[in-house]
């Protein structure tokens, strides 16, 4: 697997690095640019991003749980409780702000769970979000992935080895314009 020069940075970059158009940096194992934190997710901070997703899921779940518990009745009623059953109670008690907070927490919870599941799938197959998007669209990002699929990726080393590499890799780096060598 060879290295190539980025057209933007004029640096020699590793095969799995990509240039972020938002940060104007080349990032090793570039996954995506996170617009909420204005930072790229790559080899250097991918594990931290997963930990953040798990913490966000925990926070939004507990917020939604507390909302439905405080506005929709007693905690023993959760087994038969559903959102339509809460609406008359909410309108009668004028707690629309709490309803908005609970609904927002529920939306963020579902989006965070989806993002976590996507990340787990990508790590399992040793692909980045950038590589997966390019594969799906048929873009040639590098020769090794030109005719690949998840199961036949040249980077796929088996599920156990992929997770081991992801969790215990010490090869975390970011390539910026200020670096003259990698």
């Amino acid at each position: 697997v060879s290295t190539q020069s980025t057209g933007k940075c004029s640096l020699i970059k590793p095969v799995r690095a990509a240039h972020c158009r938002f940060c104007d940096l080349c990032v090793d194992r570039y996954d995506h640019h996170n617009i909420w934190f204005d930072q790229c997710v790559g080899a250097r901070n991918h594990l931290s991003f997963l930990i953040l997703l798990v913490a966000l899921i925990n926070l939004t779940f507990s917020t939604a749980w507390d909302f439905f518990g405080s506005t929709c009745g007693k905690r023993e009623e959760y087994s038969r409780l559903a959102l339509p059953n809460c609406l008359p109670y909410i309108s009668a008690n004028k707690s629309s702000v709490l309803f908005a907070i609970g609904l927002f927490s529920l939306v963020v919870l579902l989006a965070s769970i989806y993002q976590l599941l996507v990340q787990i799938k990508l790590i399992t197959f040793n692909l980045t979000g950038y590589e997966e998007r390019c594969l799906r669209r048929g873009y040639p990002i590098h020769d090794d992935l030109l005719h690949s699929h998840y199961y036949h990726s040249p980077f796929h080393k088996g599920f156990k080895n992929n997770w081991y590499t992801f969790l215990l890799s010490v090869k975390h780096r970011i390539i910026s314009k200020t670096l003259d060598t990698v």
Side-chain angles (χ1 to χ4, degrees):
V1 183
S2 62
T3 58
Q4 57 187 358
S5 174
T6 66
K8 313 264 188 217
C9 297
S10 301
L11 295 172
I12 303 297
K13 67 172 184 145
V15 172
R16 301 191 75 184
H19 190 84
C20 177
R21 62 186 168 143
F22 300 104
C23 295
D24 201 26
L25 297 171
C26 284
V27 180
D28 190 21
R29 287 190 48 94
Y30 176 74
D31 191 75
H32 69 281
H33 182 86
N34 189 309
I35 59 170
W36 302 109
F37 301 108
D38 194 30
Q39 191 174 27
C40 290
V41 176
R44 190 179 199 185
N45 61 355
H46 201 170
L47 183 59
S48 299
F49 178 70
L50 284 184
I51 293 169
L52 174 75
L53 277 177
V54 170
L56 186 61
I57 288 169
N58 185 33
L59 174 70
T60 55
F61 178 77
S62 63
T63 302
W65 184 268
D66 287 343
F67 157 74
F68 288 116
S70 65
T71 57
C72 296
K74 300 174 186 163
R75 297 210 180 262
E76 299 86 41
E77 298 176 5
Y78 278 125
S79 59
R80 59 185 171 94
L81 189 63
L83 188 58
N85 297 341
C86 289
L87 295 178
Y89 182 83
I90 290 167
S91 62
N93 292 312
K94 310 230 184 311
S95 54
S96 58
V97 172
L98 288 176
F99 177 72
I101 291 170
L103 194 58
F104 178 75
S105 296
L106 206 55
V107 169
V108 172
L109 174 66
L110 293 174
S112 301
I113 289 172
Y114 173 76
Q115 177 71 330
L116 182 64
L117 292 174
V118 167
Q119 292 296 318
I120 288 170
K121 177 189 78 168
L122 292 173
I123 294 166
T124 301
F125 291 105
N126 200 9
L127 285 173
T128 64
Y130 175 73
E131 292 165 346
E132 191 266 340
R133 284 187 303 279
C134 290
L135 279 172
R136 203 172 3 138
R137 295 174 184 161
Y139 297 157
I141 46 175
H142 31 77
D143 295 337
D144 295 333
L145 278 179
L146 194 55
H147 302 290
S148 295
H149 190 267
Y150 288 109
Y151 306 105
H152 305 294
S153 167
F155 309 118
H156 184 52
K157 304 172 196 163
F159 305 127
K160 185 173 130 187
N161 287 336
N162 291 342
W163 276 97
Y164 180 80
T165 302
F166 175 77
L167 293 172
L168 300 177
S169 177
V170 294
K171 214 172 112 179
H172 303 303
R173 60 182 179 245
I174 187 168
I175 308 160
S176 69
K177 285 184 172 183
T178 58
L179 297 176
D180 51 354
T181 60
V182 176

XYZ file of all heavy atoms in Angstrom, residues 77-127:
400
model
N -45.951 3.301 36.537
C -46.785 3.240 35.352
C -45.979 3.178 34.055
O -46.551 3.235 32.978
C -47.713 4.451 35.313
C -48.663 4.508 36.489
C -49.494 5.774 36.478
O -49.392 6.552 35.509
O -50.238 5.993 37.435
N -44.660 3.094 34.119
C -43.850 3.117 32.904
C -44.168 1.969 31.957
O -44.051 2.111 30.757
C -42.355 3.094 33.223
C -41.805 4.440 33.561
C -41.125 4.645 34.754
C -41.966 5.505 32.703
C -40.627 5.878 35.077
C -41.474 6.749 33.016
C -40.806 6.940 34.200
O -40.313 8.161 34.501
N -44.570 0.838 32.486
C -44.821 -0.303 31.612
C -46.009 -0.062 30.692
O -46.044 -0.563 29.584
C -45.042 -1.569 32.438
O -46.146 -1.373 33.294
N -46.983 0.718 31.113
C -48.138 0.984 30.254
C -48.146 2.414 29.726
O -49.105 2.874 29.143
C -49.430 0.690 31.003
C -49.620 1.472 32.254
C -50.894 0.984 32.977
N -50.989 1.581 34.284
C -51.674 2.686 34.521
N -52.313 3.297 33.566
N -51.717 3.168 35.747
N -47.067 3.117 29.923
C -46.978 4.515 29.548
C -46.509 4.656 28.108
O -45.598 3.981 27.671
C -45.987 5.204 30.483
C -45.886 6.706 30.401
C -47.213 7.328 30.798
C -44.797 7.166 31.336
N -47.145 5.515 27.370
C -46.722 5.819 26.012
C -46.892 7.319 25.794
O -47.634 7.987 26.527
C -47.550 5.039 25.001
N -46.202 7.848 24.781
C -46.255 9.276 24.518
C -47.676 9.802 24.308
O -48.021 10.842 24.853
C -45.368 9.615 23.306
C -45.161 11.084 22.995
C -44.562 11.801 24.192
C -44.275 11.243 21.781
N -48.545 9.105 23.565
C -49.921 9.614 23.420
C -50.664 9.732 24.743
O -51.520 10.601 24.903
C -50.592 8.587 22.512
C -49.480 7.977 21.754
C -48.310 7.968 22.696
N -50.348 8.878 25.713
C -50.991 8.964 27.023
C -50.536 10.195 27.801
O -51.230 10.651 28.698
C -50.702 7.719 27.851
C -51.275 6.473 27.223
O -52.172 6.544 26.384
N -50.744 5.338 27.603
N -49.366 10.724 27.466
C -48.827 11.886 28.177
C -49.428 13.192 27.682
O -49.488 14.161 28.422
C -47.315 11.975 27.982
S -46.405 10.719 28.839
N -49.836 13.259 26.419
C -50.262 14.528 25.830
C -51.409 15.207 26.577
O -51.337 16.405 26.843
C -50.588 14.334 24.344
C -49.391 13.944 23.485
C -49.829 13.734 22.041
C -48.289 14.964 23.562
N -52.474 14.493 26.984
C -53.532 15.177 27.746
C -53.022 15.705 29.092
O -53.393 16.795 29.515
C -54.593 14.097 27.960
C -54.304 13.050 26.949
C -52.845 13.125 26.667
N -52.152 14.943 29.746
C -51.605 15.366 31.035
C -50.749 16.615 30.866
O -50.821 17.547 31.660
C -50.785 14.226 31.636
C -50.216 14.552 32.988
C -51.002 14.410 34.132
C -48.921 15.013 33.122
C -50.493 14.720 35.381
C -48.404 15.322 34.367
C -49.191 15.176 35.496
O -48.695 15.497 36.719
N -49.948 16.646 29.796
C -49.061 17.784 29.550
C -49.874 19.032 29.261
O -49.614 20.102 29.805
C -48.096 17.461 28.395
C -47.098 16.405 28.844
C -47.365 18.703 27.916
C -46.306 15.785 27.723
N -50.880 18.931 28.390
C -51.681 20.112 28.048
C -52.485 20.603 29.259
O -52.676 21.801 29.432
C -52.591 19.815 26.871
O -53.483 18.787 27.199
N -52.959 19.708 30.111
C -53.732 20.114 31.289
C -52.856 20.811 32.314
O -53.309 21.718 33.005
C -54.392 18.888 31.916
N -51.599 20.428 32.393
C -50.698 21.008 33.382
C -49.788 22.086 32.811
O -48.893 22.557 33.475
C -49.856 19.909 34.029
C -50.717 19.005 34.877
O -51.515 19.473 35.672
N -50.575 17.708 34.666
N -49.984 22.427 31.563
C -49.243 23.504 30.901
C -47.722 23.326 31.018
O -47.005 24.252 31.321
C -49.661 24.849 31.460
C -51.159 25.070 31.499
C -51.514 26.363 30.881
C -52.964 26.702 30.965
N -53.933 25.773 30.596
N -47.271 22.130 30.810
C -45.830 21.875 30.886
C -45.258 21.621 29.487
O -44.596 20.631 29.241
C -45.565 20.700 31.818
O -46.310 19.587 31.406
N -45.526 22.537 28.570
C -45.060 22.375 27.197
C -43.542 22.511 27.093
O -42.929 21.922 26.209
C -45.753 23.371 26.272
O -45.515 24.686 26.706
N -42.934 23.279 27.973
C -41.469 23.405 27.957
C -40.840 22.066 28.316
O -39.886 21.627 27.660
C -40.997 24.512 28.930
C -39.489 24.519 29.054
C -41.508 25.867 28.472
N -41.380 21.408 29.318
C -40.876 20.085 29.677
C -41.089 19.081 28.549
O -40.238 18.241 28.281
C -41.554 19.581 30.952
C -41.146 20.258 32.244
C -41.960 19.714 33.404
C -39.672 20.090 32.492
N -42.229 19.186 27.883
C -42.494 18.304 26.757
C -41.471 18.539 25.647
O -40.950 17.588 25.058
C -43.908 18.522 26.225
C -44.207 17.688 25.012
C -44.395 16.319 25.136
C -44.288 18.273 23.767
C -44.666 15.546 24.025
C -44.557 17.508 22.652
C -44.749 16.143 22.777
N -41.162 19.790 25.350
C -40.176 20.110 24.314
C -38.799 19.570 24.692
O -38.087 19.018 23.843
C -40.118 21.619 24.089
N -38.431 19.705 25.957
C -37.140 19.177 26.414
C -37.118 17.654 26.295
O -36.141 17.072 25.819
C -36.856 19.624 27.864
C -36.602 21.130 27.910
C -35.662 18.868 28.449
C -36.543 21.701 29.305
N -38.182 17.020 26.723
C -38.256 15.563 26.624
C -38.224 15.079 25.195
O -37.529 14.114 24.858
N -38.972 15.746 24.309
C -38.998 15.355 22.903
C -37.646 15.581 22.244
O -37.163 14.744 21.481
C -40.102 16.119 22.174
C -40.487 15.599 20.815
C -40.956 14.148 20.910
C -41.575 16.472 20.213
N -37.015 16.712 22.549
C -35.677 16.985 22.016
C -34.687 15.926 22.499
O -33.856 15.441 21.715
C -35.211 18.381 22.430
C -33.836 18.721 21.960
C -33.604 19.038 20.634
C -32.770 18.710 22.841
C -32.323 19.339 20.185
C -31.487 19.007 22.413
C -31.265 19.326 21.076
N -34.760 15.571 23.763
C -33.877 14.531 24.303
C -34.093 13.204 23.596
O -33.137 12.479 23.307
C -34.110 14.347 25.802
O -33.766 15.500 26.497
N -35.338 12.901 23.294
C -35.645 11.663 22.590
C -35.067 11.659 21.179
O -34.496 10.658 20.735
C -37.166 11.484 22.549
C -37.726 10.090 22.425
C -37.191 9.182 23.515
C -39.239 10.146 22.464
N -35.151 12.775 20.479
C -34.596 12.883 19.118
C -33.076 12.760 19.154
O -32.476 12.025 18.362
C -35.039 14.205 18.457
C -34.267 14.464 17.177
C -36.533 14.190 18.187
N -32.443 13.465 20.085
C -30.984 13.390 20.207
C -30.554 11.980 20.601
O -29.543 11.467 20.109
C -30.459 14.448 21.211
C -28.980 14.250 21.505
C -30.705 15.850 20.677
N -31.323 11.345 21.464
C -31.025 9.971 21.876
C -31.036 9.031 20.677
O -30.104 8.251 20.477
C -32.032 9.500 22.928
C -31.949 8.031 23.348
C -30.634 7.760 24.076
C -33.132 7.669 24.221
N -32.070 9.108 19.859
C -32.167 8.227 18.697
C -31.052 8.506 17.685
O -30.463 7.576 17.137
C -33.538 8.367 18.044
C -34.709 7.866 18.892
C -36.034 8.181 18.212
C -34.577 6.387 19.178
N -30.745 9.779 17.455
C -29.659 10.126 16.528
C -28.311 9.642 17.052
O -27.473 9.149 16.281
C -29.636 11.634 16.298
N -28.091 9.752 18.349
C -26.821 9.311 18.942
C -26.678 7.798 18.886
O -25.594 7.278 18.613
C -26.719 9.778 20.401
O -26.805 11.168 20.473
N -27.762 7.089 19.138
C -27.724 5.622 19.045
C -27.422 5.203 17.610
O -26.598 4.310 17.376
C -29.043 5.002 19.548
C -29.146 5.145 21.069
C -29.151 3.534 19.150
C -30.485 4.748 21.639
N -28.060 5.844 16.648
C -27.796 5.539 15.239
C -26.321 5.775 14.903
O -25.670 4.929 14.285
C -28.699 6.377 14.331
C -28.354 6.227 12.876
C -28.729 5.089 12.175
C -27.632 7.213 12.215
C -28.401 4.931 10.837
C -27.300 7.071 10.883
C -27.684 5.931 10.200
O -27.342 5.789 8.883
N -25.792 6.933 15.310
C -24.382 7.250 15.016
C -23.446 6.243 15.688
O -22.447 5.832 15.096
C -24.073 8.670 15.467
C -22.641 9.089 15.276
C -22.251 9.298 13.829
O -22.792 8.667 12.924
N -21.311 10.158 13.601
N -23.745 5.840 16.909
C -22.919 4.848 17.596
C -22.947 3.514 16.861
O -21.910 2.868 16.689
C -23.371 4.670 19.045
C -22.558 3.693 19.886
C -21.122 4.194 20.058
C -23.209 3.480 21.241
N -24.117 3.082 16.418
C -24.218 1.821 15.676
C -23.449 1.875 14.358
O -22.789 0.906 13.967
C -25.682 1.460 15.431
C -26.485 1.082 16.669
C -27.956 0.895 16.322
C -25.916 -0.148 17.344
N -23.507 2.998 13.680
C -22.730 3.162 12.440
C -21.239 3.075 12.741
O -20.492 2.387 12.034
C -23.078 4.501 11.749
C -22.076 4.842 10.664
C -24.481 4.453 11.177
N -20.792 3.731 13.792
C -19.376 3.696 14.158
C -18.933 2.284 14.533
O -17.847 1.845 14.163
C -19.088 4.670 15.302
C -19.215 6.126 14.927
C -18.205 6.543 13.891
O -17.035 6.176 13.932
N -18.658 7.315 12.917
N -19.771 1.554 15.243
C -19.441 0.171 15.610
C -19.301 -0.685 14.357
O -18.372 -1.481 14.227
C -20.500 -0.399 16.576
C -20.353 0.256 17.950
C -20.407 -1.911 16.686
C -21.478 -0.050 18.910
N -20.213 -0.508 13.411
C -20.136 -1.264 12.151
C -18.841 -0.941 11.406
O -18.154 -1.847 10.925
C -21.344 -0.944 11.270
C -21.308 -1.622 9.913
C -22.388 -1.117 8.993
C -21.974 0.210 8.430
N -22.772 0.691 7.319
N -18.500 0.331 11.326
C -17.295 0.726 10.591
C -16.025 0.199 11.254
O -15.113 -0.276 10.574
C -17.239 2.249 10.452
C -18.302 2.867 9.554
C -18.243 4.381 9.634
C -18.151 2.393 8.129
N -15.966 0.261 12.568
C -14.791 -0.259 13.277
C -14.697 -1.765 13.096
O -13.610 -2.313 12.911
C -14.850 0.123 14.767
C -14.729 1.629 14.930
C -13.752 -0.596 15.559
C -15.110 2.133 16.301
N -15.834 -2.438 13.122
C -15.847 -3.891 12.951
C -15.255 -4.300 11.612
O -14.558 -5.311 11.520
C -17.282 -4.423 13.093
O -17.754 -4.068 14.395
C -17.340 -5.925 12.937
N -15.507 -3.509 10.567
C -14.977 -3.823 9.236
C -13.716 -3.033 8.903
O -13.244 -3.065 7.765
C -16.047 -3.592 8.169
C -17.160 -4.572 8.255
C -18.388 -4.212 8.779
C -16.981 -5.882 7.846
C -19.421 -5.121 8.878
C -18.007 -6.804 7.938
C -19.222 -6.429 8.452
N -13.168 -2.312 9.885
C -11.945 -1.532 9.731
C -12.047 -0.552 8.567
O -11.160 -0.453 7.727
C -10.724 -2.438 9.575
C -9.438 -1.706 9.894
O -9.453 -0.585 10.385
N -8.315 -2.340 9.623
N -13.132 0.165 8.523
C -13.318 1.233 7.554
C -13.590 2.529 8.296
O -14.024 2.530 9.441
C -14.518 0.939 6.647
C -14.336 -0.107 5.571
C -15.660 -0.391 4.880
C -13.307 0.346 4.549
